[in-house]
Amino acid sequence: MTQQPPPAGPADPPDGPATPDLPDRVVRIYGELDLSTVPAFAGGFINFGYWSGLPGPADRLLTESDRVRSEEDLYRLVLGTFDRPQGRTALDVGCGRGLGCALALREFGLGTVIGLDAHPDQIARARKANAALLTASAQTSGRLEFVQGAAQRIPLPDDGVDCLFSVEAAQHFRDLAGFAREAARVLRPGGRLALTTFFARTRSAARELPALLPPYTDGLDVPHVVDEVAGTLTAAGLREVRVRSVGDGVWEYYDRYMAQQPELRDDWPRRYLTAYETGLLDYYLLTAGAG
């Protein structure tokens, strides 16, 4: 199994996919092919991970436990940008199996966490994976909910959340301006947004990436340019948009982990590290305020 998504499946029926807001490739990857089962994404999370906080010598052999922790630490990096989150309401856009939502409740003391995903299969998996927490939530201070919906049409009322976060999902968004407007709408005055994923560094890099990385050519990802993403958030009314590169804690470690795994290394093309080292791509943390 490679780091790359599984091969494309059969064509959709003539009436189209059951999730019209999503491209066919995204529907397949997060539906029947279930990317969370790919060994490269150990633990059920689906992200490259943030590896800087791992204990021990920097050059030691990386384990599957390290891989899972790196994925959790990426959520911790994002959630750690929120000031005094205890008791507040948070929205996770592109929640996948909802494991980051559970971490947010467990470690950051949020009062309510709403997981939003456009794919119905992901929402079903999130409810199954967090069944115990969902059952117990009515009797505890933390509450958890999963809702199907698109990032550009969030099914929540105006001024409904204090914190909005999204971890490695925005590279799929076709309508980033719509997402930005919706984020500004659902955040209360003084609310905060934190977004992390990989973006192209420049427009020329965005043009080069499809030739290097198949997910940009097969319809899975969009080579958004980081400065344009930041500008889109500002244009939607969010303020104090900040961009921070965190690629030094992502790419080299992930590449080394893949190379050390016998069942993964022969198929690992190392193209994300190449894109990073040649200045085409990086991993970013973007933060902004509302109101």
Side-chain angles (χ1 to χ4, degrees):
M1 186 67 70
T2 77
Q3 151 280 340
Q4 301 288 357
D12 286 308
D15 291 337
T19 48
D21 285 318
L22 298 175
D24 294 352
R25 184 62 169 149
V26 176
V27 171
R28 296 189 187 109
I29 286 293
Y30 292 102
E32 62 187 280
L33 300 177
D34 190 2
L35 192 60
S36 67
T37 64
V38 174
F41 298 112
F45 291 89
I46 309 174
N47 66 63
F48 285 109
Y50 186 67
W51 303 74
S52 294
L54 297 183
D59 59 351
R60 68 175 174 83
L61 183 71
L62 297 171
T63 67
E64 185 173 291
S65 294
D66 293 325
R67 178 71 184 107
V68 174
R69 174 167 171 172
S70 78
E71 296 172 279
E72 293 174 335
D73 279 353
L74 187 59
Y75 278 92
R76 294 182 180 111
L77 178 72
V78 170
L79 293 163
T81 66
F82 297 131
D83 183 36
R84 296 188 298 276
Q86 293 80 10
R88 297 182 184 272
T89 299
L91 171 66
D92 179 2
V93 178
C95 67
R97 293 182 62 198
L99 304 181
C101 296
L103 185 150
L105 278 176
R106 183 173 65 247
E107 297 187 15
F108 289 82
L110 287 152
T112 299
V113 177
I114 304 165
L116 177 77
D117 204 282
H119 204 301
D121 290 357
Q122 292 291 69
I123 292 297
R125 292 178 189 124
R127 289 171 178 160
K128 181 177 180 180
N130 298 281
L133 187 56
L134 287 167
T135 301
S137 64
Q139 289 80 41
T140 62
S141 58
R143 294 190 299 113
L144 180 62
E145 179 182 0
F146 294 106
V147 177
Q148 183 184 348
Q152 70 273 19
R153 287 195 302 277
I154 297 173
L156 295 179
D158 296 356
D159 303 333
V161 300
D162 302 294
C163 309
L164 186 153
F165 64 98
S166 183
V167 174
E168 205 163 303
Q171 77 279 4
H172 299 316
F173 297 169
R174 269 59 186 173
D175 184 4
L176 262 177
F179 161 69
R181 289 191 296 269
E182 284 290 87
R185 179 184 67 80
V186 301
L187 280 168
R188 296 186 179 114
R192 300 291 299 175
L193 173 146
L195 161 69
T196 190
T197 194
F198 47 96
F199 293 123
R201 290 182 174 177
T202 64
R203 285 193 177 186
S204 62
R207 290 191 291 270
E208 293 183 52
L209 282 169
L212 183 66
L213 295 168
Y216 289 120
T217 59
D218 67 13
L220 182 64
D221 296 333
V222 180
H224 297 300
V225 179
V226 64
D227 287 344
E228 295 176 2
V229 175
T232 298
L233 295 175
T234 299
L238 296 167
R239 57 184 177 79
E240 298 177 355
V241 177
R242 301 286 183 265
V243 178
R244 173 187 165 193
S245 166
V246 297
D248 58 352
V250 177
W251 302 116
E252 184 178 354
Y253 288 93
Y254 180 77
D255 185 83
R256 181 153 60 91
Y257 171 76
M258 294 293 289
Q260 290 173 352
Q261 307 307 307
E263 72 277 20
L264 301 173
R265 63 188 175 203
D266 291 342
D267 294 321
W268 170 229
R270 311 187 77 159
R271 292 174 184 165
Y272 284 96
L273 183 61
T274 299
Y276 172 62
E277 291 179 334
T278 56
L280 300 178
L281 186 79
D282 202 356
Y283 213 99
Y284 296 96
L285 172 64
L286 280 72
T287 57

